[in-house]
């Protein structure tokens, strides 16, 4: 590991716990306001039909799906779309924790690999100031050459 990589890793470790809590809060708020799209295919549909409504993207995987080539291809395409459309994007490594946050307690989510936070400012829809903090976190990560930062969601 180079010195630059060590410094970036140390900086990310210091920022990640705070970012994890902020991400969780934003997801809960977006869920309450019905501003979430959950699932790879559902997210792709929204991105195709109304990319301007996408405010933030969360990609999730865990050890069970790390070798899923089709999922990795979807992630690559989603990331490219987000980069092309200036949509902030992060990864989380605990899909089960993400699905617990965004899902309904009575229904098990089968595909929480991609979660979009959507909003339409023209219609005066939901706005969360914490979302701006996530955008700043992503911008800062990009300045450190970490294009898709990984955030650890807090345990419950």
């Amino acid at each position: 590991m180079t010195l630059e990589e060590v410094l970036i890793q140390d900086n990310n470790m210091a920022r990640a716990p705070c970012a994890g809590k902020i991400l969780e809060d934003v997801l809960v708020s977006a869920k309450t306001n019905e501003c979430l799209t959950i699932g790879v295919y559902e997210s792709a549909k929204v991105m195709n039909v109304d990319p301007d409504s996408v405010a933030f993207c969360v990609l999730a995987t865990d050890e069970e799906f790390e070798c899923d080539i089709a999922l990795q291809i979807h992630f690559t395409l989603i990331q490219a779309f987000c980069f092309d459309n200036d949509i902030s994007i992060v990864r989380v490594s605990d899909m089960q924790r993400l699905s617990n946050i965004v899902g309904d307690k009575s229904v098990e989510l089968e595909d929480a690999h991609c979660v979009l936070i959507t909003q339409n400012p023209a219609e005066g829809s939901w706005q969360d100031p914490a979302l701006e903090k996530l955008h700043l976190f992503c911008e800062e990560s990009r300045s450190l050459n970490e294009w898709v930062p990984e955030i650890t969601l807090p345990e419950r």
Side-chain angles (χ1 to χ4, degrees), residues 50 52-55 118-127 131:
D50 190 11
D52 293 334
S53 72
V54 179
T118 58
Q119 60 187 45
N120 191 347
E123 295 178 3
S125 70
W126 166 82
Q127 296 273 340
L131 187 58

Side-chain angles (χ1 to χ4, degrees), residues 23-24 27-28 31 38 58-66 71 75 91-115 150-156:
L23 177 60
E24 180 181 19
L27 289 169
V28 169
K31 177 183 171 186
I38 303 168
V58 180
L59 297 178
T61 190
D62 50 28
E63 291 178 9
E64 180 182 345
F65 293 98
E66 278 183 356
L71 183 62
F75 278 8
R91 277 187 180 250
V92 296
S93 59
D94 189 349
M95 189 186 74
Q96 185 59 47
R97 177 74 182 108
L98 180 63
S99 78
N100 289 342
I101 293 169
V102 300
D104 186 355
K105 301 287 186 223
S106 62
V107 179
E108 179 80 20
L109 286 177
E110 291 184 24
D111 180 16
H113 293 290
C114 183
V115 176
E150 185 161 329
I151 293 178
T152 303
L153 294 168
E155 293 295 321
R156 292 283 172 201

